[in-house]
Amino acid sequence: MLTVLLISASLAGSASACTITVADRRTPPRPDTLPEPPELDAVAAVWPEAVFTLPTRLRKGPSVQPVAMLSANEVLMVTPFALARFVAYDRRTGRHRVLATAPKWGECGMCYEVRSVAVGRTRITWTAEVYRSESWNAGKRHMELWTMPRSGGSMRLVTWLTGHDDVPFGDELVIDGDDAVWYDGDAAYRISLTTDKPQKVPEPAGAGPMAASDPQERDARCGVEWCVGRVPPRLYELTTLVVERKDGSGRTTVAASSGGPLIGDRFGLFGLPYVYDDGPVHILTEGPEASAVLYDRCTGGSARAGAEERPGTQDDADPAGAITQGASGPDEPILFWQERGGRRYTVVDLSRIPDRSCGN
């Protein structure tokens, strides 16, 4: 879901989109000195035990992308641009084993695309955007739900999720016991992974990862217990977000500019803070960024996530990858981004960040 934020022109470390002309209005005088955004250490310096790197290609094989941790040292990876293949990669030895491969017809270009992945205690489940050129298909795309054993084995089609030419812009997937819960925008559906003829059963409203906003906090986005609220920016001041429980307790402010609910009700992945300055108004939309604030509610600490700049290089010529959240699972998810040069991923295993002094 995209959230539109109205912010100002002179942004420190933030890109802008379209410009809107606004009427002149009286503003306080601009101070001689503006506040400086905090200098954040890199995630690897703050939480070194949680960070490691992975290759973007398995030897001379196809490109791969990390998805989730299968164990302390084994990472689930998937081939995003070839015949879909799920592999378990051992980051100690550099070896991998194939867990499952998509049907042979998935070799056609863009006809089988893995969308959302969920990892449970015993199963891996994912949604696929599928296009097959059979005469009955009429060239339309649709969404399907697939599953396989976590230890590896044959892929199995569970059910179609949509009709022909009915593909949502975004979707999310979690495993709950023997069921998959699929979020399609504002709607949620529960699908059995064990019955012969599973049906989409609507979930109660507000059961999804984007719980209803707290009416006491403007623009609040909540998880199970904790909410993130946007503080209306003040002229010539640093942008902040509020993190608090749904009842308003435990309130704290974080130097940041945008963000959704806490990951696992603990970690925030927020836009970098900037000074709200006068000038024309711009519209920014939330989305994956190449640099962000990683905030830990349990320790109150923040670090900068994203690829490091390399001295002597031009960023535009060697862009870094967007910060991406991995699949949902029984443990905290991973975050990852492609380093400059495109040969390695940096991975942050959130489950390895110590949780001392953490309250519910």
Side-chain angles (χ1 to χ4, degrees):
M1 179 181 295
L2 296 178
T3 302
V4 177
L5 304 177
L6 293 181
I7 64 178
S8 177
S10 300
L11 308 185
S14 182
S16 59
C18 52
T19 302
I20 298 176
T21 302
V22 295
D24 291 336
R25 61 186 184 276
R26 293 185 178 182
T27 59
R30 191 176 192 273
D32 294 334
T33 303
L34 295 176
E36 292 286 339
E39 293 186 6
L40 298 175
D41 292 328
V43 173
V46 179
W47 297 297
E49 64 274 26
V51 180
F52 58 90
T53 65
L54 294 172
T56 58
R57 185 181 298 273
L58 298 179
R59 298 183 180 179
K60 296 183 180 180
S63 297
V64 290
Q65 182 172 296
V67 175
M69 302 301 299
L70 293 174
S71 65
N73 293 297
E74 220 171 26
V75 186
L76 177 65
M77 304 185 80
V78 64
T79 54
F81 305 118
L83 178 67
R85 181 182 303 163
F86 287 81
V87 302
Y89 178 85
D90 191 321
R91 65 188 186 92
R92 298 168 304 175
T93 65
R95 297 179 179 177
H96 70 276
R97 55 191 176 92
V98 177
L99 298 178
T101 303
K104 199 67 177 177
W105 49 258
E107 286 183 339
C108 57
M110 305 295 285
C111 80
Y112 185 101
E113 301 174 54
V114 176
R115 293 278 296 265
S116 295
V117 182
V119 179
R121 297 292 182 188
T122 61
R123 306 205 65 79
I124 298 171
T125 303
W126 64 97
T127 61
E129 183 177 339
V130 179
Y131 163 73
R132 292 195 288 268
S133 57
E134 294 92 337
S135 58
W136 56 268
N137 196 7
K140 308 285 187 179
R141 289 186 179 272
H142 65 277
M143 296 282 289
E144 296 177 355
L145 180 68
W146 289 73
T147 190
M148 70 179 185
R150 178 177 170 136
S151 58
S154 299
M155 290 183 172
R156 179 173 66 86
L157 172 63
V158 178
T159 188
W160 281 37
L161 295 171
T162 68
H164 288 306
D165 210 22
D166 182 15
V167 177
F169 177 76
D171 72 313
E172 296 181 68
L173 187 69
V174 298
I175 295 177
D176 182 14
D178 291 331
D179 298 340
V181 182
W182 179 55
Y183 302 99
D184 169 15
D186 295 328
Y189 302 92
R190 180 174 293 271
I191 305 109
S192 171
L193 298 174
T194 58
T195 57
D196 292 335
K197 295 181 179 181
Q199 301 291 324
K200 286 198 310 180
V201 179
E203 280 284 279
M210 301 295 184
S213 297
D214 183 351
Q216 297 179 353
E217 183 62 50
R218 181 180 178 184
D219 296 331
R221 304 181 70 188
C222 302
V224 176
E225 180 64 27
W226 289 84
C227 298
V228 175
R230 183 176 66 88
V231 178
R234 293 186 176 184
L235 199 59
Y236 311 131
E237 294 186 7
L238 197 65
T239 57
T240 58
L241 298 176
V242 168
V243 176
E244 63 183 358
R245 291 187 178 89
K246 288 183 176 180
D247 63 6
S249 63
R251 183 183 179 95
T252 187
T253 59
V254 181
S257 59
S258 62
L262 298 181
I263 301 170
D265 248 16
R266 176 181 174 184
F267 297 100
L269 189 62
F270 302 144
L272 295 175
Y274 60 89
V275 175
Y276 187 76
D277 206 345
D278 56 349
V281 174
H282 294 264
I283 292 179
L284 296 188
T285 57
E286 290 181 14
E289 301 291 343
S291 189
V293 176
L294 178 59
Y295 167 76
D296 179 12
R297 175 183 62 79
C298 293
T299 63
S302 293
R304 185 180 55 78
E308 296 287 341
E309 294 184 5
R310 298 191 305 183
T313 62
Q314 293 184 353
D315 293 348
D316 292 342
D318 185 17
I323 301 170
T324 304
Q325 181 178 326
S328 66
D331 301 314
E332 301 289 0
I334 63 173
L335 302 175
F336 63 93
W337 58 87
Q338 192 173 119
E339 291 291 345
R340 302 184 192 281
R343 295 185 177 182
R344 305 288 296 182
Y345 290 107
T346 291
V347 179
V348 183
D349 182 358
L350 296 178
S351 67
R352 296 189 181 207
I353 296 179
D355 61 354
R356 52 185 177 271
S357 303
C358 186
N360 291 328

